[in-house]
């Protein structure tokens, strides 16, 4: 028996590679068998626990696993003991590494490769039960970074597949989604830095690589969609989804192949269609999904400004498309007016519409627009566009005032009864939106520069709308006793925000 310089005793047993406990070996074997499981559930697999298992040693203990095709089940009653065994092995493994038992030096008992294999196996078992174990995720990252030559293959074949399996049981684990984002960053760098997607690559290579990366983006979006469908209001899934889509769109803006820009347009428009047709109509309280939709719309506007096909007609169609998203949400709000998520989606899309106008006015009035815009005098002398903008905002104001004034009669006609809580929330939402819209119109540089460009003779109809809005809204608030005690709708007395009060009195 010998002791090395690190204080580790070398016995005949210590010269052999550490062996995984039997329970961990069983799980790793199930994961390595074809087909690879795509669904993992920790559930009750038997009613009466076998008390004989309690007498077994940890080396012989085997929890109940059931694999049926691509479905893998784990008996919840065996979870505490299994996790205890895995943690003990994992912590002992890390301690041995710190003491120098693993490495490529003479004094090391085992190779670094052996340590990497054991780390991947032990963290796989641990993370399936404890998905927010940040130390385990950090060790997996170190192993992958140490094997830089095959890191992309490992990510695609192992980490991505393992993450998909993990999300079926633990869909809202922050550390798991953080690790997924880390994988995505390296995958993105592989395509955009080490591959052929760059400004100097040939057009054919750019488009081919862009298509390949788009396939990857679609697969990630599909995973996020599947997770969010199974576990709604999943903030982490929607946040990761926008990161993936945004990275793809921002990188194609620098490419010289117009077909790559078209791929970006199609991806964003399809995402907006999914949000509107699948999510907002079925999940009226999912703020994460609605916020994702507004961010995708803003990306679409930015991509339009950065595209090579930027022209008068494309801007006309973009104005129509953006406001079409606002019109889409109106009937849904009419059906569910008390849901704040829908009003926020509407507000964010109006903000994007104003953002689009701001960029157009700034470019046209400062002479920074492209030649075709300067030649036509877009938005400066086009009466049709001016009328369209005015009508858009007027319709927004009319709908909000109608919802604020007539919702009680609408509720009576629809249900026969008036829900005081829903009436209260609806009035608060419509009131908040009205004053937010008035403040936005007053502060908009686009509106102000636009009015200055028209001249005093035309007098801005939008300015009249803003003034009428403040006057009419203030009168309706008094008529409805919004800020007074009211037992009929159970509001109580609400304090006016000082900033809001200034807007009313201005």
């Amino acid at each position: 028996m010998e002791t090395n310089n690190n204080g580790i005793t070398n016995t005949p047993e210590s010269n052999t590679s550490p062996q995984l406990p039997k329970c961990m070996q069983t799980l790793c074997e199930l994961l390595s068998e074809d087909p690879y499981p795509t669904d993992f559930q920790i559930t009750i697999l038997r009613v009466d626990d076998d008390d004989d298992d309690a007498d077994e040693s940890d080396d012989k203990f085997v929890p109940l696993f059931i694999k049926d095709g691509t479905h893998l089940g784990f008996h919840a009653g065996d979870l505490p003991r299994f996790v205890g065994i895995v943690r003990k092995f994992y912590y002992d493994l890390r301690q041995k590494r710190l003491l120098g038992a693993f490495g490529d030096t003479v004094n090391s008992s085992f190779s670094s490769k052996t340590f990497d294999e054991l780390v991947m196996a032990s963290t796989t078992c641990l993370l399936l039960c404890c998905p927010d174990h940040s130390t385990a995720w950090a060790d997996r990252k170190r192993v992958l970074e140490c094997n830089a030559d095959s890191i992309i293959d490992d990510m695609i074949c192992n980490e991505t597949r393992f993450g998909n399996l993990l999300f079926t049981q633990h869909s809202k684990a922050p550390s798991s989604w953080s690790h997924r984002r880390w994988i995505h960053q390296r995958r993105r760098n592989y395509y955009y830095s080490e591959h052929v997607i760059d400004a100097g690559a040939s057009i054919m290579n750019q488009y081919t690589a862009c298509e390949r990366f788009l396939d990857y983006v679609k697969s990630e979006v599909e995973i996020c969609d599947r997770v969010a469908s199974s576990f709604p209001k999943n903030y982490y899934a929607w946040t990761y989804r926008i990161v993936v889509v945004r990275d793809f769109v921002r990188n194609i803006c620098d490419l010289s192949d117009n077909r790559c820009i078209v791929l970006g347009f199609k991806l964003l428009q399809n995402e907006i269609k999914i949000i509107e047709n699948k999510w907002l109509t079925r999940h009226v309280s999912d703020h994460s999904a609605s916020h994702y939709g507004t961010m995708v719309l803003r990306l679409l506007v930015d991509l339009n400004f950065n595209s090579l096909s930027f022209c008068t007609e494309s801007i006309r169609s973009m104005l129509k498309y953006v406001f079409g998203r606002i019109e889409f949400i109106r009937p849904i709000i009419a059906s569910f007016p008390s849901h704040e998520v829908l009003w926020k989606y509407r507000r964010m899309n109006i903000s994007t519409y104003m953002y689009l106008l701001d960029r157009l006015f700034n470019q046209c009035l400062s002479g920074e627009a492209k030649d075709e815009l300067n030649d036509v005098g877009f938005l400066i002398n086009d009466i049709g566009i001016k009328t369209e903008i005015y009508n858009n905002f007027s319709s927004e104001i009319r709908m909000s005032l109608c919802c604020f004034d007539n919702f009680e009669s609408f509720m009576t006609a629809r249900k026969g009864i008036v829900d005081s809580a829903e009436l209260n929330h609806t009035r608060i939402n419509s009131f908040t939106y009205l004053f937010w819209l008035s403040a936005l119109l007053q502060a908009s540089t686009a509106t102000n520069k636009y009015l200055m460009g028209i001249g005093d003779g035309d007098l801005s109809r939008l300015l009249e709308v803003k003034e009428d809005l403040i006057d009419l809204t203030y009168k309706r608030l008094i008529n409805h006793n919004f800020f007074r005690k009211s037992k009929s709708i159970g509001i109580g007395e609400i304090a006016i925000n000082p900033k809001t009060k200034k807007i009313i009195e201005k």
Side-chain angles (χ1 to χ4, degrees):
M1 185 179 299
E2 299 178 355
T3 303
N4 62 18
N5 295 334
N6 293 309
I8 298 177
T9 301
N10 293 327
T11 63
E13 292 79 6
S14 66
N15 291 326
T16 61
S17 176
Q19 296 297 316
L20 292 173
K22 189 174 182 180
C23 58
M24 297 174 63
Q25 290 181 8
T26 303
L27 179 56
C28 292
E29 289 173 359
L30 291 174
L31 294 176
S32 61
E33 293 176 357
D34 291 328
Y36 187 85
T38 58
D39 181 40
F40 175 67
Q41 295 294 326
I42 300 175
T43 184
I44 302 298
L45 298 180
R46 60 175 176 237
V47 178
D48 298 323
D49 289 337
D50 189 1
D51 295 336
D52 294 338
D53 291 345
D55 299 331
E56 293 181 349
S57 64
D58 290 347
D59 293 337
K60 297 181 179 180
F61 170 72
V62 178
L64 178 58
F65 296 105
I66 295 180
K67 184 178 181 181
D68 182 14
T70 59
H71 303 279
L72 178 62
F74 181 23
H75 181 50
D78 296 333
L79 181 64
R81 187 176 182 185
F82 176 77
V83 172
I85 295 173
V86 175
R87 282 184 173 177
K88 184 178 184 302
F89 179 84
Y90 172 62
Y91 292 148
D92 289 345
L93 188 66
R94 299 186 79 248
Q95 186 65 25
K96 289 180 180 179
R97 178 58 184 262
L98 292 175
L99 294 175
F102 295 91
D104 298 324
T105 63
V106 177
N107 294 326
S108 301
S109 304
F110 315 110
S111 66
S112 297
K113 182 178 180 181
T114 302
F115 174 78
D116 294 345
E117 293 172 351
L118 292 173
V119 164
M120 296 301 289
S122 59
T123 55
T124 296
C125 298
L126 181 59
L127 292 170
L128 283 175
C129 304
C130 308
D132 267 332
H133 200 295
S134 57
T135 303
W137 285 118
D139 280 339
R140 290 181 78 91
K141 289 184 178 70
R142 292 190 190 98
V143 171
L144 291 172
E145 288 180 334
C146 289
N147 297 275
D149 295 338
S150 59
I151 187 170
I152 296 301
D153 292 336
D154 288 340
M155 287 181 180
I156 297 174
C157 300
N158 298 324
E159 289 301 287
T160 301
R161 186 173 60 174
F162 175 66
N164 297 344
L165 176 64
L166 191 68
F167 292 145
T168 59
Q169 172 65 34
H170 311 283
S171 65
K172 299 181 180 181
S175 298
S176 303
W177 286 105
S178 177
H179 185 75
R180 185 75 167 212
R181 187 168 178 174
W182 180 84
I183 296 174
H184 164 71
Q185 290 173 348
R186 275 132 189 89
R187 182 71 181 270
R188 177 198 61 196
N189 294 338
Y190 170 72
Y191 275 98
Y192 289 108
S193 298
E194 301 175 10
H195 209 42
V196 294
I197 300 186
D198 56 64
S202 66
I203 291 182
M204 182 60 68
N205 286 341
Q206 284 185 8
Y207 184 69
T208 302
C210 194
E211 281 187 317
R212 289 182 57 192
F213 190 68
L214 180 61
D215 291 338
Y216 159 74
V217 170
K218 289 181 177 179
S219 66
E220 294 296 281
V221 167
E222 182 181 355
I223 291 298
C224 294
D225 189 77
R226 188 187 312 161
V227 172
S229 298
S230 302
F231 308 92
K233 301 179 182 179
N234 194 319
Y235 167 80
Y236 303 103
W238 289 108
T239 301
Y240 175 72
R241 185 170 179 169
I242 191 61
V243 168
V244 173
V245 172
R246 182 175 56 202
D247 283 348
F248 175 78
V249 172
R250 287 181 175 177
N251 282 277
I252 64 174
C253 291
D254 299 329
L255 302 182
S256 57
D257 193 343
N258 289 342
R259 293 176 299 173
C260 297
I261 303 294
V262 173
L263 292 178
F265 273 113
K266 290 182 178 179
L267 173 65
L268 295 177
Q269 290 175 345
N270 183 64
E271 288 296 285
I272 294 175
K273 186 182 299 184
I274 290 174
I275 291 297
E276 292 184 344
N277 298 335
K278 180 177 179 180
W279 285 99
L280 290 181
T281 55
R282 303 177 187 178
H283 307 275
V284 294
S285 297
D286 194 338
H287 177 74
S288 297
S290 66
H291 186 258
Y292 172 80
T294 61
M295 294 187 72
V296 170
L297 184 62
R298 181 65 67 92
L299 284 176
L300 188 63
V301 171
D302 289 335
L303 183 61
N304 186 79
F305 273 95
N306 288 285
S307 66
L308 299 179
S309 59
F310 184 85
C311 61
T312 301
E313 290 303 319
S314 67
I315 291 184
R316 285 178 181 271
S317 62
M318 180 57 63
L319 282 170
K320 183 177 180 180
Y321 181 82
V322 172
F323 200 80
R325 313 285 57 79
I326 303 168
E327 293 177 325
F328 171 84
I329 202 64
R330 288 177 181 175
I332 304 179
I333 291 180
S335 301
F336 307 96
S338 61
H339 288 263
E340 187 180 11
V341 167
L342 301 177
W343 288 91
K344 286 187 175 181
Y345 181 78
R346 181 182 178 187
R347 184 190 303 181
M348 291 297 294
N349 285 345
I350 277 287
S351 180
T352 300
Y353 187 74
M354 292 300 298
Y355 168 76
L356 175 59
L357 291 178
D358 274 335
R359 293 196 62 172
L360 293 174
F361 288 125
N362 289 336
Q363 288 191 0
C364 290
L365 295 176
S366 64
E368 296 177 358
K370 296 189 178 181
D371 293 337
E372 54 264 30
L373 292 180
N374 290 328
D375 294 341
V376 177
F378 182 72
L379 288 176
I380 299 299
N381 300 315
D382 195 323
I383 301 300
I385 291 294
K386 293 190 293 186
T387 303
E388 180 181 350
I389 295 173
Y390 166 75
N391 291 335
N392 288 341
F393 284 110
S394 296
S395 63
E396 276 297 287
I397 295 170
R398 285 195 302 269
M399 180 195 171
S400 298
L401 291 174
C402 180
C403 194
F404 184 81
D405 284 329
N406 304 322
F407 179 65
E408 186 171 355
S409 60
F410 169 74
M411 287 286 295
T412 303
R414 188 181 65 171
K415 294 183 177 180
I417 59 174
V418 178
D419 187 337
S420 60
E422 188 171 0
L423 179 61
N424 181 26
H425 290 145
T426 300
R427 285 176 174 169
I428 290 177
N429 290 336
S430 58
F431 162 76
T432 304
Y433 179 77
L434 280 169
F435 276 91
W436 173 85
L437 183 59
S438 66
L440 178 69
L441 291 175
Q442 286 179 329
S444 172
T445 57
T447 306
N448 294 333
K449 289 186 178 181
Y450 175 54
L451 300 180
M452 292 171 61
I454 294 175
D456 295 334
D458 291 333
L459 250 204
S460 167
R461 297 169 71 187
L462 288 178
L463 183 58
E464 296 175 2
V465 171
K466 291 189 294 183
E467 294 175 351
D468 291 342
L469 170 64
I470 296 174
D471 181 58
L472 291 174
T473 305
Y474 183 61
K475 291 179 180 179
R476 281 158 176 73
L477 290 177
I478 296 176
N479 293 335
H480 282 290
N481 296 319
F482 190 82
F483 296 110
R484 299 179 183 178
K485 292 182 179 180
S486 175
K487 295 182 180 180
S488 60
I489 58 175
I491 297 177
E493 188 169 358
I494 302 177
I496 304 178
N497 187 295
K499 293 183 179 179
T500 305
K501 188 175 181 180
K502 289 181 179 179
I503 295 177
I504 296 176
E505 297 174 350
K506 194 170 183 179

